[in-house]
Amino acid sequence: MDVSLKRAFWVIKIAFLALFVATFYTVKLALSGHTPAIDSNYYEKGLKYEESILSQRKMIEAGYGFQADWIQKPSILQSGKQELQLEFKHGQEKIKGAQIQVQLDKTATEKFNETITLKEITPGKYKGTLSIPFPGEWRVSISAKIPEGTLEKTVSAKVIH
């Protein structure tokens, strides 16, 4: 066999070995960064989707709502720790004893998701500390549960430094 032909076979063997190693590394990297479904009970939530939309619509029509500066103007949120306050109202009446949660999430990844529970400091007024790791576009979801139903609101916030 000619020397140049032997070299060509060696180049082909090395290229296939490099391709095999690169494929193995790519698969290993893809499997190590796997993220599960964001909501573990997505199936049950999907089954109750129509019911939750109807409940949400009834709550809004009945006059339930949130009132807070950071909800009306989400651009005032800054990176770092901050106190969030809001009022949960039915018309002009403040709602006592609600279970209110605020969820912060970055839409591209669940790595920075954070959920806090707001505590009632005065009747109908709730407060909690939220930590936003860095500036950028964030989604903030507020959920309030009372015996009459659940009210949810989502705002998109451009967090500044």
Side-chain angles (χ1 to χ4, degrees), residues 11-44:
V11 169
I12 291 171
K13 287 178 184 179
I14 291 171
F16 274 112
L17 181 63
L19 184 63
F20 177 75
V21 169
T23 302
F24 175 77
Y25 179 72
T26 302
V27 169
K28 181 182 174 191
L29 188 65
L31 293 176
S32 70
H34 172 71
T35 54
I38 290 176
D39 195 354
S40 60
N41 62 346
Y42 67 92
Y43 183 73
E44 291 81 10

Side-chain angles (χ1 to χ4, degrees), residues 21-148:
V21 169
T23 302
F24 175 77
Y25 179 72
T26 302
V27 169
K28 181 182 174 191
L29 188 65
L31 293 176
S32 70
H34 172 71
T35 54
I38 290 176
D39 195 354
S40 60
N41 62 346
Y42 67 92
Y43 183 73
E44 291 81 10
K45 198 173 192 179
L47 291 175
K48 297 178 183 176
Y49 185 67
E50 292 293 327
E51 183 181 314
S52 67
I53 288 176
L54 184 60
S55 172
Q56 180 82 359
R57 188 176 299 148
K58 285 180 181 178
M59 295 282 287
I60 292 170
E61 288 173 357
Y64 288 93
F66 301 109
Q67 187 174 1
D69 291 340
W70 60 273
I71 294 174
Q72 275 71 36
K73 294 180 249 164
S75 60
I76 66 172
L77 293 174
Q78 298 180 353
S79 60
K81 280 191 174 185
Q82 56 206 300
E83 293 287 326
L84 296 182
Q85 289 188 13
L86 68 79
E87 291 181 346
F88 184 38
K89 294 183 170 185
H90 179 217
Q92 294 303 318
E93 176 190 349
K94 295 180 181 179
I95 305 298
K96 298 180 251 181
Q99 296 174 355
I100 299 182
Q101 288 190 329
V102 175
Q103 180 178 356
L104 173 76
D105 66 74
K106 194 80 170 148
T107 55
T109 179
E110 65 181 34
K111 182 178 181 180
F112 304 106
N113 289 6
E114 181 181 351
T115 302
I116 62 168
T117 301
L118 301 183
K119 293 185 176 29
E120 191 168 14
I121 53 174
T122 60
K125 196 169 197 173
Y126 300 84
K127 183 178 181 180
T129 304
L130 181 67
S131 180
I132 303 176
F134 53 87
E137 292 288 330
W138 291 86
R139 187 171 59 192
V140 183
S141 302
I142 307 111
S143 172
K145 289 184 182 178
I146 56 174
E148 291 83 358

